[in-house]
Amino acid sequence: MAVCDVCVKPVKSNQVKLQCSDCKKEFHAQCYNYSRADVECLNAEGLPWRCKPCSAVRRKSLRFDAEVTEGSLTLEDVMQKIIEIADNQKKQEADFNKAYEHMNEKLEENTRSVIEHKESIDKCLKIVDEIIAENNRLTRKVSELERKIEDMEQYSRLNAVEIHGVPESKNEDVVQVIKDVGKGLDMDITDSMIDACHRLGRRSEPGSPPPGIIVKFVRRLDKEELLKKRRVKSNLSTRHMNLTMDQPVYLNESLSPTKRRLFAEARKAKKDKGYRFLWVRNGKILMRKEEKSPVIQVTCQADIANL
């Protein structure tokens, strides 16, 4: 920002200003008693304007030219002119050196500021990298813990079977229902074989499918034997349980909520991608494209996407 040599104050862009035609310095118009209209007139006419120092130099130069033209110039006048030129040169050199030193100081100041900012940015980037690394580590840790919890959840269900399609009756004996399912499959299920059992969810509404039954066996061998007999007798229905109606009864391994959702997506992928086989064995979701194709274990969404 330019500084007015008269009042030694900055010349702002929104102020009325004058610019010397010779030294190109800017001045406040009011410091030279010029109005806005005066300045606009000078600019409109393209008239030159000189500050006081430049005007004085200009007058001396014009007088010197006149004396040269008239032949009245003396040696003393010439020497005086040379001295003035030399003094003016020294002043310009001093002004240039001062401006150069000021510019150099500003440059060094800006350089220091840039270095400080760079160091600050480097520190921030280092902190960001550390935060990202820590976030990635925690994300992996959370995924690992979720996987372990899921494995524990599924492991707790290894002895459990879900039975669907059996009608629900008021004040029913669920243990007896399970025994009847066993009879339908030619398997004698005793009280000592059952660890726990109950209906899934609330009592069904009229017209809706009956809620399933979950039964947890004491031994895994009994659970596997029941499922084996169900695979042999694929047409198991309520009539095999000596009930009056005839509707299919399904037995499946009990899956955790996460595995259940994954199994549902695998079932959709089976249909969309033309796979023939999808089954669950010991809590593992397995698929096969054709009869002799390799078995694929589905453990996550990525496995389904890569089918």
Side-chain angles (χ1 to χ4, degrees), residues 141-158 162 253-263 280 282-285 297-301:
K141 188 68 174 178
V142 168
S143 298
E144 181 182 347
L145 292 174
E146 288 177 344
R147 189 163 51 251
K148 287 182 178 180
I149 293 173
E150 170 59 26
D151 291 343
M152 292 171 62
E153 170 74 12
Q154 188 58 51
Y155 184 80
S156 69
R157 295 169 179 260
L158 282 181
E162 292 182 12
E253 290 192 24
S254 180
L255 297 176
S256 66
T258 301
K259 281 285 183 69
R260 194 186 304 276
R261 288 191 294 270
L262 190 62
F263 184 75
V280 176
N282 294 326
K284 297 178 181 179
I285 302 173
Q297 182 177 349
V298 178
T299 60
C300 60
Q301 295 280 353

Side-chain angles (χ1 to χ4, degrees), residues 163-166 181 230 234 236-238 241 247-251:
I163 304 171
H164 295 274
V166 179
V181 172
R230 173 63 179 83
S234 58
L236 177 67
S237 73
T238 52
M241 300 169 58
Q247 58 187 40
V249 176
Y250 303 98
L251 275 71

Side-chain angles (χ1 to χ4, degrees), residues 75-233:
L75 181 59
E76 183 179 354
D77 293 332
V78 174
M79 291 301 299
Q80 182 64 34
K81 188 63 176 178
I82 292 174
I83 292 172
E84 289 178 1
I85 293 173
D87 290 342
N88 187 50
Q89 182 67 24
K90 289 180 180 179
K91 183 177 182 302
Q92 290 181 352
E93 289 179 358
D95 291 343
F96 175 80
N97 290 335
K98 183 178 179 181
Y100 178 80
E101 290 175 0
H102 179 71
M103 182 181 67
N104 193 48
E105 289 175 359
K106 286 293 184 182
L107 182 60
E108 291 178 353
E109 180 181 341
N110 290 339
T111 302
R112 287 193 299 270
S113 178
V114 169
I115 293 173
E116 290 175 358
H117 288 161
K118 184 179 182 303
E119 291 175 350
S120 179
I121 291 173
D122 290 341
K123 289 180 181 178
C124 291
L125 291 176
K126 184 179 179 181
I127 293 173
V128 169
D129 290 339
E130 291 174 353
I131 292 174
I132 292 174
E134 179 67 11
N135 182 67
N136 291 337
R137 187 187 70 80
L138 292 175
T139 300
R140 289 192 298 269
K141 188 68 174 178
V142 168
S143 298
E144 181 182 347
L145 292 174
E146 288 177 344
R147 189 163 51 251
K148 287 182 178 180
I149 293 173
E150 170 59 26
D151 291 343
M152 292 171 62
E153 170 74 12
Q154 188 58 51
Y155 184 80
S156 69
R157 295 169 179 260
L158 282 181
N159 293 5
V161 173
E162 292 182 12
I163 304 171
H164 295 274
V166 179
E168 183 181 18
S169 61
K170 189 175 182 181
N171 300 322
E172 67 181 355
D173 183 354
V174 179
V175 173
Q176 185 58 49
V177 173
I178 295 168
K179 290 179 180 180
D180 292 340
V181 172
K183 288 178 182 179
L185 292 172
D186 302 321
M187 178 177 173
D188 186 20
I189 299 177
T190 63
D191 291 345
S192 61
M193 295 167 62
I194 300 174
D195 181 29
C197 62
H198 59 83
R199 285 275 181 180
L200 295 169
R202 299 178 179 177
R203 181 178 293 273
S204 60
E205 298 295 332
S208 62
I213 299 172
I214 184 168
V215 51
K216 184 176 183 181
F217 289 93
V218 175
R219 300 193 315 159
R220 192 173 306 166
L221 290 175
D222 295 329
K223 164 240 180 178
E224 292 176 353
E225 180 66 17
L226 183 65
L227 290 175
K228 180 180 178 181
K229 288 184 175 295
R230 173 63 179 83
R231 287 193 290 271
V232 172
K233 197 170 187 176

Side-chain angles (χ1 to χ4, degrees), residues 7-26:
C7 63
V8 198
K9 293 181 180 179
V11 181
K12 298 180 181 179
S13 58
N14 60 347
Q15 293 178 314
V16 182
K17 58 187 177 182
L18 293 164
Q19 185 178 40
C20 180
S21 301
D22 291 349
C23 67
K24 305 301 180 183
K25 292 182 179 179
E26 293 182 345

